[in-house]
Amino acid sequence: MTKSIVCLQPLTAEQQERIKASAPGYTFIQGDGKNPDLQLLADAEIVIGWAKGIADTLLRPDSPLRWVQSWSAGIEKLPLERFKERGILLTSGSGVHAEPISAVIFGFMLLFTRNLHTAVRNQMNRYWNSDGSESELFGKTAVIVGTGAIGSETARIAKAFRMKTIGVSRSGKPLADFDQVYTTDHLPEAVSQGDFIINILPITDETKQLFNTAIFSAFKQGSYYINVGRGATTDTEALIHALNRGQLRGAGLDVFETEPLPQDHPLWTMEQVVITPHSAGITDQYANRIVNIFTENINSYLSTGAPSLNLVDYARQY
């Protein structure tokens, strides 16, 4: 039987050729995630992407499936327990978002420090006004919770603005461009120092609603909260309370507990909040970066039997 790779996300002809060239002995099939062909998927050893309604076909006892390359960095919507039981290798899209999401983070920070969010509203009303509270990023402290590819890129750029950088991670391991890195159990101490607290966490059992009333109470008075990780890492009611009582001066939010954010949600009408529709990671370079990860991983898979980049640890859920 011919070994096959099925991709469920659209690729250009050039991107398809790159995969074919990196995987001699495999047939590459461009599939359709919106209308998956179960017959083609039934014979796949490697699948790029995922879709609704394909799990039973791909995870049946006699399936040749060995490896799934997720199209996204987040993997919480995949059938992780079933993958684990079947011994399926899973690699994430971690790293593809570093450039676009770090740009959004600094977009939020510059909006707030220069009052550009109020300037846009004033322009709509033809209202010439400044309250004189404009500031700058120089000398400010960014607390970056999640020190992976996105967090590291954010810290690197922050140094160009001459900011102080504090990281928070499970290990607390020192990293380039971070002045200090705390372990997650020291999160209250870390956030108390931040002018900007930036949440880039994945959703796991440990991170669910990690940002709660107690953590927001530890924030420096008048600081800003930015969430570009996962909405469920934040207790939304606690966030709103912190904004209403002035503990937080503002928030830049790309992700929410409920998406789309309901039209009657109070966050929509809060002038100190800037909302983007879970779009921080969107970029025209996305597919190229996934293909870069996959082609490097297929080389390792063919030589060692396992991909080398972004291999998910099922125990950690990332």
Side-chain angles (χ1 to χ4, degrees):
M1 182 183 295
T2 304
K3 297 180 177 181
S4 68
I5 301 169
V6 177
C7 180
L8 294 170
Q9 294 287 339
L11 298 178
T12 65
E14 181 182 358
Q15 291 162 349
Q16 293 179 39
E17 288 303 317
R18 286 178 56 197
I19 291 176
K20 291 175 185 178
S22 69
Y26 283 80
T27 298
F28 176 84
I29 300 167
Q30 178 65 69
D32 181 358
K34 295 180 180 179
N35 186 29
D37 186 326
L38 296 181
Q39 188 172 349
L40 289 175
L41 286 166
D43 297 327
E45 179 180 324
I46 302 169
V47 171
I48 303 172
W50 198 253
K52 291 182 179 179
I54 66 173
D56 288 343
T57 296
L58 282 169
L59 300 177
R60 69 189 192 280
D62 61 340
S63 170
L65 181 68
R66 288 286 301 122
W67 168 26
V68 174
Q69 169 66 58
S70 171
W71 194 255
S72 63
I75 56 165
E76 67 273 8
K77 295 182 180 179
L78 296 175
L80 301 183
E81 284 300 319
R82 295 181 69 183
F83 283 0
K84 181 180 178 180
E85 289 169 5
R86 290 270 291 105
I88 303 300
L89 300 166
L90 172 63
T91 50
S92 74
S94 180
V96 301
H97 300 107
E99 285 80 7
I101 293 184
S102 61
V104 169
I105 290 167
F106 280 92
F108 283 141
M109 291 200 290
L110 291 167
L111 277 171
F112 289 131
T113 53
R114 302 307 305 164
N115 288 340
L116 296 178
H117 57 312
T118 57
V120 169
R121 293 189 180 100
N122 289 342
Q123 180 181 349
M124 294 174 67
N125 294 309
R126 305 186 185 192
Y127 178 45
W128 182 282
N129 180 66
S130 167
D131 64 4
S133 64
E134 285 77 12
S135 184
E136 54 192 73
L137 295 183
F138 168 75
K140 297 290 194 303
T141 296
V143 176
I144 302 168
V145 187
T147 59
I150 300 167
S152 293
E153 178 68 0
T154 301
R156 184 189 70 80
I157 298 170
K159 284 302 173 187
F161 282 96
R162 293 180 290 174
M163 299 179 74
K164 181 180 179 180
T165 53
I166 294 174
V168 180
S169 68
R170 285 186 60 163
S171 69
K173 182 177 70 174
L175 292 168
D177 299 314
F178 286 94
D179 296 304
Q180 188 172 3
V181 181
Y182 289 87
T183 54
T184 309
D185 57 346
H186 287 88
L187 181 60
E189 182 181 352
V191 301
S192 70
Q193 303 173 58
D195 298 291
F196 296 91
I197 292 82
I198 302 157
N199 176 359
I200 318 177
L201 293 173
I203 186 64
T204 68
D205 293 339
E206 294 178 1
T207 64
K208 188 173 183 180
Q209 295 211 327
L210 179 64
F211 284 85
N212 54 24
T213 298
I215 296 299
F216 284 123
S217 296
F219 277 38
K220 180 192 293 188
Q221 188 77 25
S223 56
Y224 294 92
Y225 178 61
I226 294 170
N227 190 3
V228 291
R230 284 292 183 267
T233 62
T234 300
D235 180 337
T236 305
E237 291 304 314
L239 169 62
I240 291 172
H241 182 63
L243 287 162
N244 282 333
R245 65 189 176 91
Q247 185 80 27
L248 295 178
R249 189 176 179 188
L253 307 172
D254 184 60
V255 291
F256 305 87
E257 287 186 275
T258 301
E259 295 182 358
L261 188 67
Q263 290 189 348
D264 61 352
H265 200 283
L267 285 171
W268 284 114
T269 57
M270 301 181 80
E271 292 192 356
Q272 73 272 50
V273 173
V274 178
I275 290 170
T276 51
H278 203 149
S279 59
I282 296 174
T283 170
D284 56 1
Q285 296 300 313
Y286 198 102
N288 271 333
R289 291 179 181 143
I290 289 287
V291 171
N292 289 342
I293 292 170
F294 183 80
T295 53
E296 183 163 343
N297 270 337
I298 192 70
N299 290 332
S300 175
Y301 180 80
L302 293 175
S303 60
T304 70
S308 56
L309 292 177
N310 299 349
L311 186 62
V312 169
D313 180 340
Y314 291 115
R316 292 189 173 187
Q317 299 175 296
Y318 64 87

